[in-house]
Amino acid sequence: MRRVVITGIGLITPLGDGVDVSWGNLVSSKSGIKSINHFDVSDIPCKIAGFIDHDQNSDFYFDALKYIE
């Protein structure tokens, strides 16, 4: 038998980081789907995606430095 210890619950989603933020945005009917603007998509049919945002001006910005040194 293998033992598992859960030390916390966390989320990093296109709706934000953390359970409270992600859930709040979900129940507020916000969408994590946005235009792809961090690389050229002119040759790709799909121009939208759900991705973790690194743009500090975004509502769903993920700051990795809050968690990783």
Side-chain angles (χ1 to χ4, degrees):
M1 179 186 282
R2 198 168 165 196
R3 294 181 183 205
V4 176
V5 176
I6 298 173
T7 59
I9 298 174
L11 296 172
I12 301 174
T13 74
L15 291 174
D17 66 326
V19 174
D20 294 334
V21 173
S22 293
W23 182 252
N25 286 330
L26 181 67
V27 297
S28 297
S29 300
K30 294 187 179 178
S31 174
I33 305 300
K34 47 199 165 273
S35 297
I36 301 170
N37 57 14
H38 53 282
F39 61 88
D40 183 20
V41 293
S42 58
D43 294 340
I44 302 172
C46 184
K47 312 286 189 225
I48 61 172
F51 56 89
I52 309 303
D53 210 333
H54 299 290
D55 178 5
Q56 292 180 356
N57 298 318
S58 170
D59 291 337
F60 308 120
Y61 170 66
F62 173 66
D63 184 8
L65 296 177
K66 286 176 30 180
Y67 306 99
I68 303 169
E69 293 180 9

